[in-house]
């Protein structure tokens, strides 16, 4: 969310303060950079989500007393 907010503020700043003749080409040149940063943020967020889901499944095994070799244990 922070990355998206910063990008939107930068784009708004460019549109408001840079002359119209330069704003379009500038945004066009910055778009691949923004895409690259968005992919990095999604990769980090995906890793964090995977860890949280893994911890949650381990906690449910403890709560429901499921052993590691139980049939109800999902295979990875």
């Amino acid at each position: 969310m922070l990355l998206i907010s910063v990008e939107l503020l930068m784009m708004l700043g460019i549109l408001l303060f840079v002359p119209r003749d330069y704003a379009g080409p500038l945004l066009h040149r910055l778009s691949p950079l923004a895409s690259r940063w968005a992919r990095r943020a999604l990769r980090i967020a995906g890793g964090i989500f995977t860890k949280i889901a893994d911890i949650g499944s381990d906690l449910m095994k403890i709560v429901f007393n499921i052993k590691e070799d139980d049939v109800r244990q999902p295979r990875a």
Side-chain angles (χ1 to χ4, degrees):
M1 294 300 291
L2 180 65
L3 176 70
I4 293 169
S5 300
V6 168
E7 280 189 42
L8 287 175
L9 286 174
M10 287 176 55
M11 288 174 31
L12 183 63
I14 289 172
L15 290 174
L16 289 176
F17 300 115
V18 176
R20 185 177 288 217
D21 295 336
Y22 299 114
L26 181 61
L27 288 174
H28 182 56
R29 289 185 183 156
L30 290 177
S31 62
L33 181 64
S35 174
R36 186 177 310 140
W37 279 103
R39 273 187 268 135
R40 287 180 183 169
L42 287 174
R43 186 174 297 149
I44 291 169
I48 292 170
F49 177 76
T50 303
K51 285 295 177 195
I52 293 170
D54 193 29
I55 292 169
S57 71
D58 289 341
L59 288 175
M60 288 299 106
K61 285 191 288 188
I62 293 170
V63 168
F64 292 112
N65 199 19
I66 298 174
K67 303 295 181 208
E68 286 294 323
D69 57 348
D70 197 328
V71 210
R72 297 174 291 172
Q73 171 71 19
R75 304 284 181 218

